[in-house]
Short mmCIF file of all heavy atoms in Angstrom, two decimals:
data_model
loop_
_atom_site.label_atom_id
_atom_site.label_comp_id
_atom_site.label_asym_id
_atom_site.label_seq_id
_atom_site.Cartn_x
_atom_site.Cartn_y
_atom_site.Cartn_z
N VAL N 62 -4.20 -6.26 -11.68
CA VAL N 62 -3.92 -4.89 -11.24
C VAL N 62 -2.94 -4.84 -10.08
O VAL N 62 -2.41 -3.78 -9.75
CB VAL N 62 -5.23 -4.15 -10.84
CG1 VAL N 62 -6.07 -3.87 -12.07
CG2 VAL N 62 -6.03 -4.91 -9.80
N ASP N 409 -2.81 0.24 -22.54
CA ASP N 409 -1.65 0.09 -21.65
C ASP N 409 -2.17 -0.47 -20.32
O ASP N 409 -2.61 0.27 -19.44
CB ASP N 409 -1.00 1.47 -21.48
CG ASP N 409 0.23 1.42 -20.58
OD1 ASP N 409 0.43 0.39 -19.91
OD2 ASP N 409 0.97 2.42 -20.57
N THR N 410 -2.12 -1.80 -20.20
CA THR N 410 -2.73 -2.42 -19.02
C THR N 410 -1.94 -2.13 -17.76
O THR N 410 -2.50 -2.13 -16.65
CB THR N 410 -2.88 -3.96 -19.22
OG1 THR N 410 -1.63 -4.48 -19.65
CG2 THR N 410 -3.94 -4.28 -20.26
N ALA N 411 -0.64 -1.85 -17.91
CA ALA N 411 0.16 -1.49 -16.73
C ALA N 411 -0.30 -0.12 -16.20
O ALA N 411 -0.39 0.09 -14.99
CB ALA N 411 1.64 -1.46 -17.09
N ALA N 412 -0.60 0.81 -17.12
CA ALA N 412 -1.09 2.13 -16.71
C ALA N 412 -2.46 1.99 -16.04
O ALA N 412 -2.74 2.65 -15.04
CB ALA N 412 -1.17 3.07 -17.91
N PHE N 413 -3.31 1.11 -16.60
CA PHE N 413 -4.62 0.89 -15.96
C PHE N 413 -4.42 0.34 -14.56
O PHE N 413 -5.09 0.77 -13.61
CB PHE N 413 -5.49 -0.08 -16.77
CG PHE N 413 -6.76 -0.43 -16.04
CD1 PHE N 413 -7.86 0.41 -16.11
CD2 PHE N 413 -6.84 -1.56 -15.22
CE1 PHE N 413 -9.02 0.14 -15.38
CE2 PHE N 413 -7.99 -1.84 -14.49
CZ PHE N 413 -9.08 -1.00 -14.58
N ALA N 414 -3.49 -0.62 -14.41
CA ALA N 414 -3.26 -1.25 -13.11
C ALA N 414 -2.82 -0.21 -12.08
O ALA N 414 -3.31 -0.19 -10.94
CB ALA N 414 -2.22 -2.36 -13.24
N ARG N 415 -1.91 0.69 -12.49
CA ARG N 415 -1.45 1.77 -11.58
C ARG N 415 -2.63 2.64 -11.17
O ARG N 415 -2.81 2.98 -10.02
CB ARG N 415 -0.40 2.63 -12.30
CG ARG N 415 1.03 2.28 -11.94
CD ARG N 415 2.01 3.31 -12.44
NE ARG N 415 1.77 3.83 -13.77
CZ ARG N 415 2.20 3.28 -14.91
NH1 ARG N 415 2.86 2.14 -14.87
NH2 ARG N 415 1.97 3.86 -16.07
N PHE N 416 -3.43 3.01 -12.18
CA PHE N 416 -4.59 3.86 -11.93
C PHE N 416 -5.54 3.16 -10.94
O PHE N 416 -6.03 3.77 -9.98
CB PHE N 416 -5.29 4.14 -13.26
CG PHE N 416 -6.50 5.03 -13.17
CD1 PHE N 416 -6.38 6.36 -12.80
CD2 PHE N 416 -7.77 4.54 -13.46
CE1 PHE N 416 -7.50 7.19 -12.72
CE2 PHE N 416 -8.90 5.35 -13.38
CZ PHE N 416 -8.76 6.68 -13.02
N HIS N 417 -5.76 1.88 -11.17
CA HIS N 417 -6.66 1.12 -10.29
C HIS N 417 -6.17 1.14 -8.85
O HIS N 417 -6.93 1.41 -7.92
CB HIS N 417 -6.78 -0.33 -10.78
CG HIS N 417 -7.78 -1.14 -10.00
ND1 HIS N 417 -7.49 -1.72 -8.79
CD2 HIS N 417 -9.08 -1.42 -10.25
CE1 HIS N 417 -8.57 -2.34 -8.34
NE2 HIS N 417 -9.54 -2.17 -9.21
N ARG N 418 -4.86 0.89 -8.67
CA ARG N 418 -4.31 0.84 -7.30
C ARG N 418 -4.43 2.19 -6.62
O ARG N 418 -4.77 2.30 -5.45
CB ARG N 418 -2.84 0.38 -7.33
CG ARG N 418 -2.66 -1.09 -7.68
CD ARG N 418 -1.25 -1.57 -7.34
NE ARG N 418 -0.22 -0.88 -8.09
CZ ARG N 418 0.19 -1.23 -9.32
NH1 ARG N 418 -0.37 -2.27 -9.93
NH2 ARG N 418 1.15 -0.57 -9.93
N ARG N 419 -4.15 3.26 -7.39
CA ARG N 419 -4.20 4.60 -6.79
C ARG N 419 -5.63 5.01 -6.46
O ARG N 419 -5.89 5.64 -5.44
CB ARG N 419 -3.58 5.62 -7.76
CG ARG N 419 -2.07 5.43 -7.88
CD ARG N 419 -1.50 6.23 -9.03
NE ARG N 419 -0.06 6.05 -9.11
CZ ARG N 419 0.68 6.52 -10.09
NH1 ARG N 419 0.13 7.20 -11.08
NH2 ARG N 419 1.98 6.33 -10.09
N MET N 420 -6.56 4.65 -7.34
CA MET N 420 -7.97 4.96 -7.07
C MET N 420 -8.45 4.21 -5.82
O MET N 420 -9.12 4.78 -4.96
CB MET N 420 -8.85 4.60 -8.26
CG MET N 420 -8.64 5.45 -9.50
SD MET N 420 -9.12 7.18 -9.28
CE MET N 420 -10.88 7.10 -9.59
N ALA N 456 -4.76 10.42 -8.87
CA ALA N 456 -4.26 9.19 -9.48
C ALA N 456 -3.65 9.43 -10.85
O ALA N 456 -2.68 8.76 -11.23
CB ALA N 456 -5.40 8.18 -9.60
#
Side-chain angles (χ1 to χ4, degrees):
V62 290
D409 181 346
T410 50
F413 174 83
R415 261 191 319 274
F416 181 67
H417 185 278
R418 289 195 297 275
R419 290 168 179 173
M420 292 294 276

